[in-house]
Every structure is written in structure tokens, then in C-alpha cells.
Amino acid sequence: MRKTLSFLAAFAIPFLSQPAFAEMELSIYGGTQSAPHSRVSGKYPGTGANYDALIGWEGKSTAPPPYYGARATWWHRPDLGFGVELTHAKVYAPVAERSALGFTRMEFTDGHNILTFNVTKRWNDRFGNFTPYTGAGIGVAIPHVDVTSANGHRSYGYQVTGPAMRLTAGAKYDLSDSWALFGEYQFTYSSNKAALPAGGSLSTDIITNAINFGISYSF
């Protein structure tokens, strides 16, 4: 993690020394998000017994609270921007799989929040009013940990569970000088270690794949 931060800082410093282009872009989006299988392991609350299993996470993008995201990008020059982004993703453990481990609930659904600092590259009006772009970011996962064991111990609250990163590729369509529509593919990865009550714990790496559609405003 420290090496990644040092690399991004070294990459950004030469650009920050150049005259500011001074464009701010605010974006919001929704879409559909899924999460592939990953291993979940830890200490079972109240007993300290080890557990370990492969979980086939469900995304349920449109179930309340729905999947969404927002970001702010400062375009330091016409083709290069820096910003911050929050994605409200979600993952649910299927009933049969969580029950086999002795849990009545196992989900990050308010949500599996990913906060990153981004670097974005764009190619302005490369295809008429369409501007393709790519981006990458690093940050932290801040999920709402909603886990209940069969013996009645419940974790229900936000935790900072570990490092996270994202990759984005998409294109925006200009409606005017200020407004644009966009569509994109987004990948996130997070390494999570959550504390559970009564000496319990939960560790898992979560990947999300999302197709986003949104609107942006520049000024």
C-alpha cells in the first residue's frame, strides 16, 4: 500500500506543478453491480472456532438501498484529472451458504462503500461529442457490516475494513458546455477485515463488476 501511494505521488507531482486548467466536474451514477465468489474466514463469535468457506455473493443492485456512486474530478489540464469517488456497492451471502457457516445474516448492504482518490485520463471529443476516458484510484473500504451469528451475536455498523482500489473505462456524451451523460465499466477490489462481537472476526476479499450510467456537470 505504501509503495502504491508513493508511486501515485511521484506520478502526480510533475502535473501539479503546471498551470491549472481549472475545470471541476461533478458526477452521479447508478447501474448494475455484481460480485464474484470469494473466501470468507475468521473466528466465530462467542466460541473462537475457525470458519472458512467460499461465498457466492449476490449484488441485488436495485434492492433498497440501491447501488449508486458519486465523484468529483478536478481537471488540472484538458486531458488529465484528479478527484475523489464514493461507490455504494452491496454484497449479500446466500441463505444456504451463510447458514452452513452458522450465520443468520452476512451482508454489507448499507453498503460496501468504496472511497478512493482517482487519476483520470480523457480524450476530449475524440468521436464527435463522445469523450472516452479511463481512470484508476486507491483508497479504503468502509462497509456497513451486518452480520449475525446463530448464537445471537450481531455486528451492525460501519467499519474501515482495509485498502481498496478501482479501475474505470467509459465515455461521456456532451449535451452542452456544462452537462453530459456517460456510461462506463467499473471494477473495484477491497481486502476486508471486520471485527465481530464476542471475539469474532470476518476476513474476505471482495471484487465488484459494475456497468454505470450517469450524468455530470462541469464548471
Side-chain angles (χ1 to χ4, degrees):
M1 185 69 174
R2 183 176 298 175
K3 290 182 179 179
T4 303
L5 288 170
S6 298
F7 171 78
L8 286 180
F11 175 78
I13 286 172
F15 296 106
L16 292 175
S17 63
Q18 299 177 11
F21 174 64
E23 177 190 340
M24 181 64 70
E25 183 177 40
L26 305 178
S27 305
I28 57 173
Y29 56 82
T32 180
Q33 165 252 314
S34 63
H37 291 63
S38 69
R39 299 208 71 83
V40 173
S41 62
K43 299 288 186 181
Y44 193 78
T47 69
N50 293 323
Y51 65 90
D52 188 300
L54 187 66
I55 298 294
W57 300 107
E58 299 173 347
K60 300 183 182 180
S61 302
T62 59
Y67 164 80
Y68 65 87
R71 63 174 169 257
T73 306
W74 172 58
W75 293 99
H76 179 69
R77 67 185 201 193
D79 64 340
L80 185 73
F82 301 91
V84 62
E85 183 167 357
L86 175 67
T87 302
H88 179 93
K90 304 185 300 175
V91 290
Y92 300 74
V95 174
E97 295 177 13
R98 72 179 188 237
S99 297
L101 287 176
F103 292 94
T104 59
R105 292 178 71 90
M106 181 184 287
E107 56 191 60
F108 300 151
T109 52
D110 204 17
H112 182 55
N113 303 298
I114 303 295
L115 177 66
T116 61
F117 295 94
N118 300 339
V119 178
T120 305
K121 169 72 174 178
R122 68 182 178 184
W123 292 266
N124 289 289
D125 303 321
R126 176 60 62 91
F127 305 107
N129 286 345
F130 285 94
T131 295
Y133 58 87
T134 60
I138 59 171
V140 294
I142 316 172
H144 188 272
V145 182
D146 187 354
V147 178
T148 304
S149 58
N151 57 9
H153 295 292
R154 187 184 189 191
S155 177
Y156 188 76
Y158 292 99
Q159 298 184 33
V160 178
T161 55
M165 59 85 69
R166 81 171 76 241
L167 298 172
T168 305
K172 72 170 186 173
Y173 177 80
D174 293 327
L175 299 174
S176 68
D177 290 340
S178 298
W179 294 95
L181 301 176
F182 64 88
E184 62 188 27
Y185 164 75
Q186 192 171 98
F187 166 95
T188 72
Y189 166 83
S190 60
S191 180
N192 302 273
K193 294 184 178 181
L196 303 183
S201 63
L202 183 153
S203 296
T204 186
D205 294 343
I206 293 178
I207 289 172
T208 68
N209 294 287
I211 301 297
N212 300 329
F213 298 97
I215 189 168
S216 63
Y217 176 72
S218 300
F219 58 93

